[in-house]
Amino acid sequence: MLLLIEPLKKVIIDNRAYSGEQQNGNYFGGFCTCGGIMRQRIWVETDSSSILISECDDCWKNIALIFNSKKFAGKKEVKTLGKREFGEFLKEILSPSEVESILNKARGERYNPSSLSRAKKKLARMNLGLEEVLKVIA
Ligand SMILES: [Zn+2]
């Protein structure tokens, strides 16, 4: 399962966030299981593979196609995260006090600096910046 953070256009693969190259949606990206046509959305390069995320025109399902040195190596489900789902995701990867410090910081309220600094370190380990996270949840 891959996660696509819609507001950041970043893809999370094995707990690491990658920036992708966005496509304009005009390129064919395969056929969906519903029979619909899929459009290319974003290409991501990792150390080992190139990954294309396509979206179905009909049911809006997203699927990742994985290529190893140009050879098709399999499909994976993609879970798309909007602003609200991204908040839920933060609750899974951070402790309650870390989430609270981020939310408070985003709202311009008082926050616990040591909780925020722990949250920032955890996010950085996943290749996510605190500033971009704050922008999403603000
Ligand atoms: Zn479909």
Side-chain angles (χ1 to χ4, degrees):
M1 171 81 79
L2 274 63
L3 303 176
L4 172 63
I5 308 170
E6 294 270 11
L8 296 176
K9 305 295 174 206
K10 282 195 168 181
V11 180
I12 296 183
I13 303 160
D14 296 331
N15 291 320
R16 189 158 179 83
Y18 294 88
S19 297
E21 193 182 321
Q22 264 187 277
Q23 307 297 310
N24 62 15
N26 291 332
Y27 295 111
F28 178 68
F31 289 105
C32 182
T33 47
C34 81
I37 288 174
M38 305 198 81
R39 304 283 173 191
Q40 297 191 10
R41 288 195 72 189
I42 193 164
W43 276 97
V44 178
E45 299 292 327
T46 72
D47 290 340
S48 56
S49 41
S50 304
I51 296 164
L52 166 65
I53 294 181
S54 295
E55 184 175 58
C56 175
D57 269 354
D58 289 332
C59 71
W60 308 111
K61 185 171 163 172
N62 282 258
I63 286 285
L65 302 177
I66 299 160
F67 300 88
N68 290 333
S69 46
K70 311 279 179 202
K71 273 196 193 138
F72 179 65
K75 275 186 191 183
K76 274 195 179 155
E77 298 271 323
V78 177
K79 185 177 176 193
T80 54
L81 308 179
K83 181 181 168 170
R84 188 174 58 79
E85 293 86 2
F86 185 63
E88 295 300 315
F89 170 72
L90 288 179
K91 286 180 195 162
E92 287 170 25
I93 60 168
L94 301 174
S95 75
S97 65
E98 290 160 0
V99 172
E100 193 189 333
S101 70
I102 285 187
L103 286 173
N104 285 351
K105 167 95 175 157
R107 293 174 187 140
E109 290 168 13
R110 278 163 60 97
Y111 59 89
N112 182 318
S114 63
S115 295
L116 189 72
S117 132
R118 278 199 309 276
K120 188 177 176 180
K121 271 187 203 144
K122 280 189 189 173
L123 292 168
R125 248 180 260 147
M126 299 185 68
N127 202 27
L128 285 171
L130 179 64
E131 289 306 318
E132 60 184 354
V133 169
L134 288 173
K135 266 183 217 151
V136 174
I137 60 170

